[in-house]
Amino acid sequence: MNAPRKSRTFKSGNSEAVRLPKGLGFGIGTEVLVERRGDELVLRAASNPDAEKAAVRELVRRLREIGRPDDGVQARPDFEAPERPGL
């Protein structure tokens, strides 16, 4: 996590705005979600369904390239969880 940096609010049209210090921006034109949590404002990049679908497709493609083991699915040794009193 980056150390906190100071900035100031300013008026932009009819809105209050804040400059994001260099290195903390999302990139020009990035859609963000703004949420208030008590005295904090949280900014996060809005999800992009098309980009997320493309990332999943790429993951599936890479997994298919790996392929299955020649000997099929491998059996795992039996495992017994230890006792955990109080849980």
Side-chain angles (χ1 to χ4, degrees):
M1 181 173 214
N2 295 323
R5 299 185 203 173
K6 286 188 178 181
S7 189
R8 290 191 183 266
T9 59
F10 61 95
K11 186 142 176 102
S12 176
N14 288 328
S15 298
E16 184 177 359
V18 65
R19 293 186 192 282
L20 296 177
K22 186 176 182 179
L24 294 180
F26 293 92
I28 303 301
T30 301
E31 186 176 11
V32 296
L33 299 176
V34 182
E35 179 182 357
R36 180 178 290 280
R37 294 183 188 165
D39 64 347
E40 296 181 336
L41 288 178
V42 178
L43 295 176
R44 58 188 167 97
S47 64
N48 179 338
D50 292 334
E52 290 176 8
K53 286 178 188 176
V56 170
R57 284 188 192 107
E58 174 62 13
L59 175 61
V60 169
R61 183 193 67 74
R62 290 174 51 209
L63 289 172
R64 286 185 175 149
E65 279 182 2
I66 293 171
R68 295 176 184 243
D70 293 335
D71 58 353
V73 178
Q74 300 171 359
R76 293 184 179 185
D78 289 337
F79 173 80
E80 188 171 326
E83 288 295 319
R84 298 174 67 186
L87 293 181

